[in-house]
């Protein structure tokens, strides 16, 4: 049996002005979500290589994640904030904050829960159905 793999380089239209911190593919489309040291999170249409939306943190955006679909995006950054962004409306909502930088965000569609990890040595769970923090887990060191 023979497997052939073809790699194609794609250059992003309107790329971030600084290093990329995370790249995520949408769960049910070909959209691409990118966070960057330039304080932005950007949504791209991968097939058309077009930047669809952009939103900003006050300082570097360290991570990003899709929610249940490409119409629900999350990001966290050095500004200690966790942001929900809705590309169809352009609405930006502050989900919550940590006392230090938010290093990672991850969404569980099965539970409707957003998880954020921070350099303040905590992991917070946010119930996105009620937009409230439901639990905070203190850990022994910064979350990377």
């Amino acid at each position: 049996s023979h497997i052939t793999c073809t790699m194609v380089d794609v250059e992003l239209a309107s790329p971030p002005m600084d290093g990329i911190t995370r790249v995520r593919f949408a769960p049910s489309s070909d959209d691409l979500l990118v966070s960057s040291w330039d304080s932005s999170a950007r949504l791209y249409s991968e097939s058309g290589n077009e930047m669809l939306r952009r939103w900003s943190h006050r300082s570097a955006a360290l991570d990003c994640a899709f929610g249940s679909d490409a119409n629900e995006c999350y990001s966290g950054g050095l500004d200690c904030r966790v942001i929900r962004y809705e590309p169809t409306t352009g609405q930006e909502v502050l989900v919550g904050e940590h006392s230090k930088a938010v290093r990672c965000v991850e969404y569980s569609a099965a539970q409707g829960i957003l998880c954020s990890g921070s350099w303040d040595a905590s992991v917070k769970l946010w119930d996105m159905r009620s937009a409230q923090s439901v639990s905070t887990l203190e850990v022994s060191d910064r979350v990377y």
Side-chain angles (χ1 to χ4, degrees), residues 96-140:
E97 296 179 294
H98 283 264
S99 62
K100 292 188 179 175
V102 177
R103 176 58 192 95
C104 54
V105 292
E106 190 68 45
Y107 181 78
S108 168
Q111 302 297 320
I113 298 287
L114 179 71
C115 176
S116 60
S118 171
W119 291 348
D120 66 7
S122 74
V123 174
K124 292 186 178 187
L125 301 179
W126 311 90
D127 184 344
M128 298 317 301
R129 295 168 289 203
S130 64
Q132 294 181 349
S133 175
V134 292
S135 183
T136 300
L137 173 65
E138 302 298 329
V139 295
S140 61

Side-chain angles (χ1 to χ4, degrees), residues 22-34:
R22 173 71 80 177
V23 175
R24 302 272 187 143
F25 287 97
S28 58
S29 72
D30 61 358
D31 291 343
L32 190 66
L33 188 58
V34 175

Side-chain angles (χ1 to χ4, degrees), residues 29 31 33 42-44 51-55 66 68-74 84-93:
S29 72
D31 291 343
L33 188 58
R42 297 164 188 245
L43 179 64
Y44 293 92
M51 186 177 70
L52 303 173
R53 293 286 189 170
R54 176 185 186 276
W55 66 100
F66 282 102
S68 55
D69 59 31
N71 293 316
E72 184 180 340
C73 303
Y74 298 96
R84 176 184 175 159
Y85 185 78
E86 297 174 3
T88 53
T89 64
Q91 184 179 16
E92 191 176 305
V93 177

